[in-house]
Amino acid sequence: MKLSILIAMYNTEKYIGNCLESLINQDIKVEDYEIIVINDGSTDNSVSVVESYIKRNKNIVLYNQSNIGITQTSNKLLKLAKGKYLYKIDSDDYIAHNTLGTLLKIAEKSNLDALGFNSCKTTRLDLHKLDTEIISEDLKICTGVEYWSKSNNPKSSANWYLIKNDFIIKNNITFELEDNPMSDTPFTFQLFIAIERFVFLSNVIHRYVQVPTSGSNNRNANHLRKRILKRKALINKLRAISVKLENKDKSKYIGIINSLKFWSDVNVYFLFQKFLYVNISIGDIIKIRKELEQIKAYPMISFTGDQSFSKKHKLITSFLNHKYLFFVGLYPLRMLVKLKLLKLSFR
């Protein structure tokens, strides 16, 4: 088995068919790859959709389980995989047709630990064609640390690279954050710290579908409270990885350390924004802020410099960083959000 595609599925009946459709329209023999789907307790018709594809495609396998969350499900997928290389994709996303075989040949020929490629955000479900040809000659092989040092804060999700299965096992890399939809982030950093042979292709292979009903867009108060705690757990993990690298060899890992700080700030930014959407007391906010200060994750100092950051972003960041101004403006801003007179990017 050359490739295992790993999918954790939960209530994505509108999208899982499109995901599977993209995965079976590939330039690779059916017997050379498997598509493993774990249904994590879906309550919609997702299972029926997958079963209809299984009838027509012998390389798709479905496992059903009670809901245990994305982290444990992702680790179960890793254990089930038989392929030489792995690719993890969300059940509401998809990839360009006829690309996996080419990517796999490049990875095998160069004996890569991982192979990366670009992703694009979209609301469309029909971007099947690859825009540019995949060039497999004169590839620049580097370590994960080298790649991170020369890149501008690459994506922290796990859907933009293939990984060698033996490499994962050898380095004992797993998804660590318990039941956390952002567990991809520390997984990716741990991966790239260890990678010795990596190639990045500029081709846009992955389509990141923007789903209005996804967890990141959910405004329910209880959901937001849980999301705040999960972001805090992620921030703690990122800071722990950063401290470990600083103590080990700061000069060697400086690119990854700086990116860890950047992504920590990103999560602090969206954590604080959620205080405007949910009625959390001043006392609880102060407690969370002090916890972040203790691990040097607040105030935000690294969430700057990108050309996409607008004046509005800089203004909001300064406001969130100001200990007293934030509390003065908290209740008026909550009212503006409630009246839908203030809209912020939401994740």
Side-chain angles (χ1 to χ4, degrees), residues 4-9 34-39 61 63 65 69-83 86-89 165 175:
S4 295
I5 301 173
L6 313 178
I7 306 174
M9 180 179 72
E34 61 181 352
I35 302 170
I36 305 173
V37 183
I38 293 185
N39 168 45
V61 183
Y63 295 89
Q65 65 184 27
I70 185 62
T71 305
Q72 289 188 59
T73 302
S74 296
N75 285 327
K76 288 181 79 171
L77 284 163
L78 291 179
K79 291 180 180 179
L80 289 168
K82 302 183 186 73
L86 314 179
Y87 178 54
K88 180 176 180 287
I89 184 171
N165 199 351
F175 295 88

Coordinates of all heavy atoms in Angstrom, one line a residue, residues 4-9 34-39 61 63 65 69-83 86-89 165 175:
S4 N -2.2 6.2 2.3 CA -3.4 6.1 3.2 C -4.0 7.5 3.3 O -3.2 8.4 3.8 CB -3.1 5.5 4.6 OG -2.7 4.2 4.5
I5 N -5.2 7.7 2.9 CA -5.9 9.0 3.1 C -6.8 8.9 4.3 O -7.6 8.0 4.4 CB -6.7 9.4 1.9 CG1 -5.8 9.4 0.7 CG2 -7.4 10.7 2.1 CD1 -6.5 9.6 -0.7
L6 N -6.6 9.8 5.3 CA -7.3 9.7 6.6 C -8.3 10.8 6.7 O -8.0 11.9 6.6 CB -6.2 9.8 7.7 CG -5.0 8.9 7.5 CD1 -4.0 9.2 8.7 CD2 -5.3 7.5 7.4
I7 N -9.6 10.3 7.1 CA -10.7 11.3 7.2 C -11.4 11.0 8.5 O -12.0 10.0 8.7 CB -11.7 11.2 6.0 CG1 -10.9 11.3 4.7 CG2 -12.8 12.2 6.1 CD1 -11.8 11.1 3.5
A8 N -11.5 12.0 9.4 CA -12.3 12.0 10.5 C -13.6 12.7 10.2 O -13.6 13.9 9.7 CB -11.7 12.7 11.7
M9 N -14.7 12.1 10.3 CA -16.0 12.6 9.8 C -17.0 12.8 11.0 O -17.2 11.9 11.8 CB -16.6 11.7 8.8 CG -18.0 12.1 8.2 SD -18.6 11.0 7.0 CE -19.1 9.6 8.0
E34 N -5.6 3.6 0.0 CA -6.8 3.4 0.7 C -7.3 4.7 1.3 O -6.6 5.6 1.5 CB -6.5 2.4 1.9 CG -5.5 3.0 2.9 CD -5.2 2.0 4.0 OE1 -5.9 1.0 4.1 OE2 -4.3 2.3 4.8
I35 N -8.6 4.8 1.4 CA -9.3 5.9 2.0 C -10.0 5.4 3.2 O -11.0 4.7 3.2 CB -10.3 6.5 1.0 CG1 -9.6 7.0 -0.3 CG2 -11.0 7.8 1.6 CD1 -10.6 7.3 -1.4
I36 N -9.5 5.9 4.4 CA -10.1 5.4 5.7 C -10.9 6.5 6.3 O -10.4 7.6 6.5 CB -8.9 5.0 6.7 CG1 -8.0 4.0 6.0 CG2 -9.5 4.5 8.0 CD1 -6.8 3.7 6.9
V37 N -12.2 6.2 6.5 CA -13.1 7.2 7.1 C -13.5 6.7 8.5 O -14.0 5.5 8.6 CB -14.3 7.4 6.2 CG1 -15.3 8.5 6.9 CG2 -14.0 7.8 4.8
I38 N -13.3 7.5 9.5 CA -13.9 7.2 10.8 C -15.1 8.1 11.1 O -14.9 9.3 11.1 CB -12.9 7.3 12.0 CG1 -11.8 6.2 11.8 CG2 -13.6 7.1 13.3 CD1 -10.8 6.2 12.9
N39 N -16.2 7.5 11.2 CA -17.4 8.3 11.6 C -17.5 8.5 13.1 O -17.7 7.5 13.8 CB -18.7 7.6 11.1 CG -19.9 8.2 11.7 OD1 -20.1 9.4 11.7 ND2 -20.8 7.4 12.2
V61 N -12.8 2.5 3.2 CA -13.2 1.8 4.4 C -13.8 2.7 5.4 O -13.4 3.8 5.6 CB -12.0 1.1 5.0 CG1 -12.4 0.2 6.2 CG2 -11.2 0.2 4.0
Y63 N -15.3 3.2 9.4 CA -15.4 2.7 10.8 C -16.3 3.6 11.5 O -16.3 4.8 11.4 CB -14.0 2.7 11.5 CG -13.0 1.8 10.9 CD1 -12.2 2.2 9.9 CD2 -12.8 0.5 11.4 CE1 -11.2 1.3 9.3 CE2 -11.9 -0.4 10.9 CZ -11.1 0.0 9.8 OH -10.2 -0.8 9.3
Q65 N -18.0 4.8 15.3 CA -17.8 4.9 16.7 C -18.7 5.9 17.4 O -19.2 6.8 16.7 CB -16.3 5.2 17.0 CG -15.9 6.6 16.5 CD -14.4 6.9 16.7 OE1 -13.6 6.0 16.7 NE2 -14.1 8.1 16.9
G69 N -14.4 12.8 19.8 CA -13.6 14.0 19.5 C -12.5 13.8 18.5 O -12.1 12.7 18.2
I70 N -12.1 14.9 17.9 CA -11.2 14.9 16.8 C -9.8 14.3 17.1 O -9.1 13.7 16.3 CB -11.0 16.3 16.2 CG1 -10.2 16.3 14.9 CG2 -10.5 17.3 17.2 CD1 -10.7 15.5 13.8
T71 N -9.3 14.6 18.3 CA -7.9 14.2 18.7 C -7.8 12.7 18.7 O -6.9 12.1 18.1 CB -7.5 14.8 20.0 OG1 -7.7 16.2 20.0 CG2 -6.0 14.5 20.3
Q72 N -8.6 12.0 19.5 CA -8.5 10.6 19.6 C -8.8 9.9 18.3 O -8.2 8.9 17.9 CB -9.5 10.0 20.7 CG -9.1 10.4 22.1 CD -10.0 9.7 23.1 OE1 -10.1 8.4 23.1 NE2 -10.7 10.4 23.9
T73 N -9.8 10.5 17.5 CA -10.1 9.9 16.2 C -8.9 10.0 15.3 O -8.6 9.1 14.5 CB -11.3 10.7 15.6 OG1 -12.4 10.5 16.5 CG2 -11.7 10.1 14.3
S74 N -8.2 11.2 15.3 CA -7.1 11.3 14.4 C -6.0 10.3 14.8 O -5.3 9.8 13.9 CB -6.5 12.8 14.6 OG -7.5 13.7 14.1
N75 N -5.8 10.1 16.0 CA -4.8 9.1 16.4 C -5.2 7.7 16.0 O -4.3 6.8 15.7 CB -4.5 9.2 17.9 CG -3.7 10.4 18.3 OD1 -2.8 10.8 17.6 ND2 -3.9 11.0 19.5
K76 N -6.4 7.4 16.1 CA -6.9 6.1 15.6 C -6.7 5.9 14.1 O -6.3 4.8 13.7 CB -8.4 5.9 16.0 CG -8.7 5.7 17.4 CD -10.2 5.5 17.7 CE -10.6 4.1 17.5 NZ -12.0 3.9 18.0
L77 N -6.9 7.0 13.4 CA -6.6 6.9 11.9 C -5.1 6.6 11.7 O -4.8 5.9 10.8 CB -7.0 8.3 11.3 CG -8.5 8.5 11.1 CD1 -8.8 10.0 10.9 CD2 -9.0 7.7 10.0
L78 N -4.2 7.3 12.4 CA -2.8 7.0 12.2 C -2.5 5.5 12.4 O -1.7 4.9 11.7 CB -2.0 7.8 13.2 CG -1.9 9.3 13.0 CD1 -1.1 10.0 14.1 CD2 -1.4 9.7 11.7
K79 N -3.1 4.9 13.4 CA -2.9 3.5 13.7 C -3.4 2.6 12.7 O -2.9 1.5 12.4 CB -3.4 3.1 15.1 CG -2.7 3.8 16.3 CD -3.3 3.4 17.6 CE -2.5 4.1 18.8 NZ -3.2 3.7 20.1
L80 N -4.5 3.0 12.1 CA -5.2 2.1 11.0 C -4.5 2.2 9.7 O -4.6 1.2 8.9 CB -6.6 2.6 10.8 CG -7.6 2.2 12.0 CD1 -8.9 3.0 11.8 CD2 -7.9 0.7 12.1
A81 N -3.7 3.2 9.5 CA -3.1 3.4 8.1 C -2.0 2.4 7.8 O -1.2 2.0 8.6 CB -2.4 4.8 8.1
K82 N -2.1 1.8 6.6 CA -1.2 0.8 6.1 C -0.2 1.4 5.0 O 0.7 0.7 4.6 CB -1.9 -0.4 5.5 CG -2.9 -1.1 6.4 CD -3.5 -2.3 5.7 CE -4.6 -2.9 6.6 NZ -5.9 -2.1 6.6
G83 N -0.5 2.6 4.6 CA 0.3 3.2 3.5 C 1.7 3.6 3.8 O 2.0 3.9 5.0
L86 N 1.1 9.1 4.3 CA -0.3 9.4 4.8 C -0.7 10.8 4.3 O 0.2 11.7 4.2 CB -0.2 9.4 6.3 CG 0.4 8.2 7.1 CD1 0.4 8.5 8.6 CD2 -0.2 6.9 6.7
Y87 N -2.0 10.9 4.2 CA -2.5 12.3 3.9 C -3.8 12.4 4.7 O -4.8 11.6 4.5 CB -2.8 12.5 2.4 CG -3.4 13.9 2.2 CD1 -2.8 15.0 2.7 CD2 -4.6 14.0 1.5 CE1 -3.3 16.3 2.5 CE2 -5.2 15.3 1.3 CZ -4.5 16.4 1.8 OH -5.1 17.7 1.6
K88 N -3.9 13.4 5.6 CA -5.0 13.7 6.4 C -5.8 14.9 5.8 O -5.3 15.9 5.6 CB -4.6 14.0 7.8 CG -5.8 14.3 8.8 CD -5.2 14.5 10.2 CE -6.3 14.7 11.2 NZ -6.9 16.1 11.1
I89 N -7.1 14.6 5.6 CA -7.9 15.7 5.0 C -9.3 15.8 5.8 O -9.8 14.8 6.2 CB -8.2 15.4 3.5 CG1 -9.0 16.6 2.9 CG2 -8.9 14.1 3.3 CD1 -9.1 16.5 1.4
N165 N 4.8 7.4 6.6 CA 4.2 6.7 7.8 C 5.3 6.2 8.8 O 5.2 6.4 10.0 CB 3.5 5.4 7.3 CG 2.5 4.9 8.4 OD1 2.5 5.4 9.5 ND2 1.6 4.0 8.0
F175 N -1.3 13.3 17.8 CA -2.1 14.4 18.1 C -2.3 14.4 19.6 O -2.8 13.5 20.2 CB -3.5 14.3 17.4 CG -3.3 14.4 15.9 CD1 -3.1 13.3 15.1 CD2 -3.4 15.6 15.2 CE1 -2.9 13.3 13.8 CE2 -3.2 15.7 13.8 CZ -3.0 14.5 13.1

